[in-house]
Amino acid sequence: MATVTNTPVSDLLKSFKLKTKQQELLIRVSILCLVYILAFIIRLFSVLRYESMIHEFDPYFNYRTTLYLTQNGFYDFWNWFDYESWYPLGRIIGGTLYPGLMVTAVLIYRILHFLRFAVHIREVCVLTAPFFASNTTLVAYFFGKEIWDTGAGLVAAILIAICPGYISRSVAGSYDNEGVAIFALLFTFYLFVKAVNTGSLAWSLASAFGYFYMVSAWGGYVFIINLIPLYVLVLLITGRYSMRLYIAYNCMYVLGMLLAMQIRFVGFQHVQSGEHMAAMGVFFLMQVFYFLDWVKHMLSDTKLFQAFLRITVTCAVAVGTIALGLGMLSGYISPWTGRFYSLLDPTYAKDHIPIIASVSEHQPTAWSSFMFDYHILLFLFPAGLYFCFKRLSDATIFIVMYGLTSMYFAGVMVRLILVATPAVCLISAIAVSATVKNLTVLLRSKNKGVLTGSTKGSSSSKASSKALLDQSQPFQKNGAIALLFGAFYLLSKYATHCTWVTSEAYSSPSIVLAARGAHGNRVIFDDYREAYFWLRQNTPADAKVMSWWDYGYQITAMGNRTVIVDNNTWNNTHIATVGRAMSSYEDEAIEIMRSLDVDYVLVVFGGVTGYSSDDINKFLWMVRIGGGVFPVIKEPDYLVNGEYRVDKGAAPKMLNCLMYKLCYYRFGEMLTEYGKPPGYDRARGVEIGNKDIKLEHLEEAFTTSNWIVRIYKVKPPNNRW
Amino acid sequence: MAREKSSKDNAQALFNSLRSAYAVTPVNLKIIDLYVGFAVFTALIQVVYMATVGSFPFNSFLSGVLSCVGTAVLAVCLRIQVNKENKEFKDLPPERAFADFVLCNLVLHLVIMNFLG
């Protein structure tokens, strides 16, 4: 009996039922929306736990410049000379920064204000990085679709949304160049691969604009301008020269180079620096290739063409080498700068440039870091490489090259794991998508095979082969189901790991420290901000503060006082002067401080709380950097038998240098831990050697509640009589 | 003697065959080639001028040379896309190719005007 009563309802439902293509589109759009939201909210841990503030050191400079941009407009920002840092030299900020991040944040701020959302610029700054992380997932989807298919694109979007390698530098509050730069990097690469695939001038123009955005955002654009020529070279060598490649590369190179030179910090480097010469060389090579291709096309006689080919190639190579040689010898083309040379030769920085070697992010990467940041992607990466090699095309060659070069650089420097993350996510996505697709095809094909075997009147050989297939099918199907469950288990483990890593390791603001008290309650140390606000409220407006360069940006941004050196580290001699002052006896140091007009000295001390990133632990780097410029400071003077000690057995120069005195002044009477003698340093785990410290030229101005930041005032010289 | 003669013959044969092959290209492509030649010639004049007078406002020199090189390169790209013999681009309408060419040139010259100083 047919149910006639529900006809109108069932008709209504039938009208909602979508065709397969529309269903698929709905699934894809909803997945992308969910991934977009997920990428944003997973980065909000520190905002929820602490407050909406800017983290670390570098973002404070970016925040200060953004504030200046909102208050004074673009022309003043672009021509800004800052006299509040690097006293007495000052810093040309307009010409020495990458404006992309600040301009982006101010643009978002103005759009929100136009829509009548009255947010403070700090909120916009804090949330810029998660917003761009969400946009990166969308770009990853389109890129995956370009390289492989939509399934790989979706998996790539999901993987990159929660990958810890990317989260580490784009968490909410981390207002740093990398937050926007990774988006710009992936976007530029996507547009370029699209241009090579379609051969359209419009896509090449878009990729030139993408490159311009990348150059305005981060110094790591050198990676793009070297990877793309390398990719073009590999395509030429493997015989994949085509007109589309010519159009894409030439348009992108010329327009991209011109646009990039509009950023003052980059200047003329595209035609003068050794790091950019690869791109120019490949540009000329492409012209030669095109010319030869054209001549070959016009000539019908191959023997004549061979002769012509030989002449042209030898001429071109000769001219190229002569030009390059002349340029390098005459010094017109500058050699690779230390920052990038140390990537090719990792031992270079340790011997020659101690400032670069001292940054913790520049150390080589350990295996544990790779596992921590990538988890299952680490073994999915080689699997993805295998799939890429099976289906070689212009696009997969690109992603393979990007993956391999970025993995090499990620191995050299911890910070560059960030650059490798999109490549690793994309290649792993190919592996996951291809495997899952093969498995589900296996699951589905069994039914089809049985159907066709029964409906068609097949010949005897076919029947026997079908019978064989039918016999092995059940095991194949079970195997496929088991493998699919395994894949699901792995991916869910990945999601758990990523969430745990983000919550535990990458969400700390660094400026606010947290610890567990004796009863398990959370104790917050807000000493940094306490000290900076004390500076802001209790010192004269033109006071100059001397501290180690780590804290420079924070002091200018939050304390609003002039500093001697800050994180920009553009002047090594100035930093070495401060290092020398910190490592000398008080009488020598006061001469240096008076010559620099220093009014206050700020040191960071972790002995009471057990905070281990304090100035005493960084002291040897101060000695090395100071000693690099002033040979009077010798590192062995501060060590005992090659060992760095602060207790009774320490070197006498160590026990009496300015840094020691400033950190441990009055500490000898302090009881820090139950059962230990007074003056027990909890960060080093020893009782200090020199407890009776007297300061002659400085006096203590302020010590924070947990003794983390200590500020001293330089006393004016005695009256003469 | 014989080798010199044969290489000269080779060069002559090369030149003649190139000339005859070029003569049959359509007129619109020849116009584009003329434009490319003109742009490269202008760039060369600017380089010679810089060599004699010095490169003081380097940004002006760069913007001048790069505008010539850029527009030459873009014209070559247009030629590739419009050429009927290229099978890869037979679906591309020549109007679209020309529109892309105009757009890229517009961007190029805007940037040049900003960079000229």
Side-chain angles (χ1 to χ4, degrees):
Chain A
M1 280 294 260
T3 51
V4 197
T5 45
N6 321 6
T7 319
V9 178
S10 59
D11 275 347
L12 193 66
L13 282 176
K14 275 209 189 98
S15 70
F16 275 127
K17 185 169 174 164
L18 303 164
K19 301 193 211 38
T20 319
K21 253 197 158 57
Q22 290 175 322
Q23 275 180 344
E24 194 203 26
L25 183 66
L26 179 67
I27 292 177
R28 262 191 284 146
V29 169
S30 51
I31 290 181
L32 278 178
C33 284
L34 287 174
V35 167
Y36 193 89
I37 298 174
L38 174 69
F40 191 84
I41 59 181
I42 197 177
R43 288 164 165 83
L44 294 180
F45 274 107
S46 74
V47 171
L48 296 170
R49 282 179 185 165
Y50 303 99
E51 59 178 272
S52 158
M53 69 176 135
I54 313 260
H55 300 184
E56 305 256 330
F57 302 113
D58 279 359
Y60 274 100
F61 171 71
N62 297 330
Y63 174 60
R64 182 167 162 249
T65 48
T66 316
L67 208 56
Y68 189 89
L69 179 55
T70 50
Q71 287 162 352
N72 301 61
F74 189 70
Y75 273 115
D76 282 343
F77 169 75
W78 203 230
N79 296 308
W80 186 16
F81 179 80
D82 183 31
Y83 51 83
E84 281 192 359
S85 55
W86 294 90
Y87 185 86
L89 306 164
R91 179 185 168 184
I92 309 170
I93 290 196
T96 56
L97 60 47
Y98 288 106
L101 176 68
M102 298 87 185
V103 172
T104 312
V106 170
L107 209 62
I108 299 176
Y109 171 77
R110 290 218 196 282
I111 292 177
L112 286 175
H113 269 249
F114 177 72
L115 296 173
R116 302 294 179 258
F117 288 109
V119 292
H120 190 268
I121 183 71
R122 193 193 61 232
E123 318 300 338
V124 175
C125 290
V126 164
L127 293 175
T128 300
F131 174 60
F132 273 91
S134 301
N135 295 341
T136 309
T137 61
L138 287 183
V139 177
Y141 164 70
F142 285 111
F143 204 176
K145 198 163 90 146
E146 189 68 27
I147 294 177
W148 201 256
D149 62 12
T150 54
L154 284 174
V155 179
I158 297 169
L159 289 179
I160 204 172
I162 51 177
C163 187
Y166 185 24
I167 290 184
S168 62
R169 304 289 298 202
S170 68
V171 84
S174 173
Y175 181 57
D176 209 354
N177 297 39
E178 287 94 345
V180 251
I182 296 298
F183 167 75
L185 181 88
L186 203 58
F187 197 46
T188 310
F189 283 149
Y190 163 64
L191 291 171
F192 185 68
V193 170
K194 189 92 188 179
V196 171
N197 273 343
T198 57
S200 140
L201 264 180
W203 284 108
S204 314
L205 180 67
S207 77
F209 273 115
Y211 178 62
F212 171 55
Y213 187 46
M214 179 70 190
V215 170
S216 74
W218 196 31
Y221 74 88
V222 176
F223 182 62
I224 297 189
I225 202 64
N226 281 309
L227 179 64
I228 288 188
L230 195 64
Y231 166 63
V232 170
L233 201 62
V234 165
L235 282 186
L236 291 179
I237 291 175
T238 55
R240 285 174 180 269
Y241 170 76
S242 64
M243 300 291 188
R244 299 172 282 120
L245 181 66
Y246 179 85
I247 293 176
Y249 180 68
N250 278 312
C251 178
M252 190 234 175
Y253 178 63
V254 174
L255 284 172
M257 174 166 74
L258 266 174
L259 283 167
M261 290 203 276
Q262 308 309 306
I263 309 287
R264 274 163 61 196
F265 196 22
V266 172
F268 301 127
Q269 278 185 357
H270 276 73
V271 291
Q272 285 179 341
S273 152
E275 295 149 8
H276 301 76
M277 283 300 119
M280 192 181 282
V282 171
F283 176 67
F284 285 120
L285 190 65
M286 285 290 274
Q287 311 307 320
V288 171
F289 252 83
Y290 176 73
F291 182 58
L292 287 173
D293 203 45
W294 184 57
V295 169
K296 181 172 175 185
H297 177 73
M298 294 225 296
L299 284 179
S300 38
D301 188 351
T302 47
K303 228 197 295 182
L304 214 53
F305 175 67
Q306 295 288 1
F308 179 71
L309 176 72
R310 259 180 297 136
I311 301 172
T312 323
V313 168
T314 38
C315 276
V317 168
V319 166
T321 27
I322 291 177
L324 188 68
L326 267 178
M328 303 226 58
L329 282 174
S330 67
Y332 187 71
I333 298 180
S334 60
W336 282 54
T337 55
R339 252 182 91 197
F340 296 110
Y341 188 73
S342 61
L343 289 177
L344 296 178
D345 177 13
T347 59
Y348 179 74
K350 191 111 211 283
D351 303 325
H352 297 241
I353 319 175
I355 278 200
I356 296 183
S358 72
V359 182
S360 66
E361 306 175 302
H362 290 184
Q363 307 308 316
T365 325
W367 272 111
S368 54
S369 294
F370 273 116
M371 190 59 190
F372 198 63
D373 280 340
Y374 288 141
H375 204 239
I376 60 166
L377 302 185
L378 209 51
F379 62 80
L380 285 178
F381 179 70
L385 281 180
Y386 162 73
F387 279 108
C388 284
F389 275 107
K390 263 180 75 172
R391 202 213 283 189
L392 271 184
S393 69
D394 289 348
T396 46
I397 291 184
F398 177 78
I399 198 67
V400 163
M401 286 200 61
Y402 176 26
L404 292 176
T405 47
S406 58
M407 279 305 256
Y408 166 72
F409 288 122
V412 171
M413 207 189 257
V414 174
R415 187 180 183 188
L416 296 179
I417 282 188
L418 175 71
V419 175
T421 303
V424 169
C425 287
L426 276 164
I427 295 182
S428 314
I430 292 178
V432 170
S433 171
T435 313
V436 168
K437 208 169 226 188
N438 289 339
L439 290 173
T440 47
V441 160
L442 261 175
L443 273 180
R444 287 184 168 189
S445 72
K446 175 221 178 201
N447 301 330
K448 270 205 202 141
V450 167
L451 268 168
T452 50
S454 60
T455 50
K456 279 195 198 156
S458 46
S459 61
S460 55
S461 59
K462 250 196 188 168
S464 58
S465 67
K466 272 288 185 303
L468 270 172
L469 262 173
D470 280 339
Q471 265 197 338
S472 56
Q473 288 293 8
F475 297 113
Q476 268 188 346
K477 188 180 174 202
N478 286 342
I481 292 184
L483 282 175
L484 274 176
F485 267 116
F488 176 69
Y489 172 73
L490 273 181
L491 289 171
S492 57
K493 271 303 194 210
Y494 172 70
T496 321
H497 170 86
C498 292
T499 322
W500 175 82
V501 162
T502 313
S503 161
E504 292 301 315
Y506 289 140
S507 298
S508 89
S510 309
I511 193 166
V512 168
L513 311 162
R516 293 248 166 247
H519 304 283
N521 57 325
R522 203 174 63 164
V523 177
I524 304 245
F525 301 127
D526 208 0
D527 287 45
Y528 280 104
R529 292 196 291 177
E530 191 186 336
Y532 300 140
F533 282 116
W534 183 91
L535 264 184
R536 194 189 190 109
Q537 290 159 353
N538 293 293
T539 57
D542 61 350
K544 293 144 198 80
V545 180
M546 180 172 95
S547 71
W548 192 234
W549 59 261
D550 286 3
Y551 317 108
Y553 281 154
Q554 287 180 339
I555 296 177
T556 20
M558 281 191 275
N560 202 24
R561 293 286 174 267
T562 312
V563 289
I564 307 290
V565 288
D566 69 16
N567 307 54
N568 190 30
T569 65
W570 66 270
N571 190 333
N572 194 35
T573 313
H574 218 52
I575 297 182
T577 314
V578 170
R580 180 184 173 188
M582 296 291 197
S583 347
S584 317
Y585 294 122
E586 201 183 341
D587 300 327
E588 300 158 6
I590 192 68
E591 297 299 318
I592 300 175
M593 289 196 281
R594 294 236 168 86
S595 76
L596 288 173
D597 284 351
V598 174
D599 297 312
Y600 290 88
V601 182
L602 186 147
V603 293
V604 169
F605 172 58
V608 172
T609 48
Y611 177 54
S612 55
S613 306
D614 64 348
D615 279 357
I616 292 285
N617 277 346
K618 291 179 192 166
F619 182 60
L620 273 184
W621 283 110
M622 298 186 202
V623 170
R624 283 179 195 135
I625 294 175
V629 178
F630 302 105
V632 65
I633 307 283
K634 295 187 254 301
E635 193 180 339
D637 288 345
Y638 300 87
L639 305 170
V640 172
N641 291 336
E643 214 185 302
Y644 180 57
R645 295 167 69 163
V646 295
D647 55 0
K648 270 205 191 31
K653 183 124 200 224
M654 178 74 206
L655 290 177
N656 288 304
C657 68
L658 184 69
M659 175 58 73
Y660 190 94
K661 282 187 166 182
L662 293 183
C663 284
Y664 290 121
Y665 182 66
R666 285 194 310 115
F667 185 65
E669 313 135 9
M670 180 102 173
L671 275 170
T672 51
E673 214 170 291
Y674 181 71
K676 295 277 194 310
Y680 180 75
D681 182 346
R682 290 179 73 188
R684 259 65 56 184
V686 293
E687 187 186 346
I688 62 169
N690 184 1
K691 293 191 190 176
D692 187 24
I693 296 177
K694 300 239 183 313
L695 289 173
E696 196 185 325
H697 301 285
L698 295 139
E699 61 182 7
E700 185 179 2
F702 182 67
T703 298
T704 56
S705 43
N706 294 301
W707 287 52
I708 292 187
V709 183
R710 311 193 68 180
I711 303 179
Y712 293 84
K713 184 169 160 49
V714 176
K715 288 201 277 206
N718 289 328
N719 288 330
R720 281 185 286 228
W721 32 67
Chain B
M1 245 329 234
R3 233 196 295 169
E4 268 184 31
K5 196 152 180 274
S6 74
S7 69
K8 206 191 275 186
D9 275 346
N10 267 344
Q12 282 277 39
L14 188 73
F15 190 60
N16 286 336
S17 66
L18 272 177
R19 207 190 204 175
S20 56
Y22 189 66
V24 297
T25 54
V27 177
N28 54 350
L29 294 185
K30 276 192 189 160
I31 294 178
I32 297 180
D33 290 339
L34 205 60
Y35 180 64
V36 172
F38 165 70
V40 173
F41 178 64
T42 316
L44 282 174
I45 291 187
Q46 289 184 19
V47 172
V48 167
Y49 178 72
M50 188 269 292
T52 49
V53 175
S55 71
F56 165 54
F58 193 57
N59 55 323
S60 314
F61 163 66
L62 265 183
S63 63
V65 170
L66 283 175
S67 80
C68 295
V69 170
T71 179
V73 159
L74 287 173
V76 172
C77 294
L78 175 68
R79 187 189 198 277
I80 291 173
Q81 288 184 331
V82 164
N83 196 353
K84 297 213 181 14
E85 293 174 9
N86 288 335
K87 289 176 215 49
E88 278 179 13
F89 292 104
K90 63 174 162 59
D91 305 330
L92 190 71
E95 290 83 12
R96 165 78 198 271
F98 188 67
D100 283 346
F101 171 72
V102 167
L103 179 67
C104 288
N105 264 315
L106 193 67
V107 171
L108 175 77
H109 287 100
L110 278 174
V111 179
I112 294 291
M113 284 202 299
N114 182 38
F115 199 39
L116 213 48

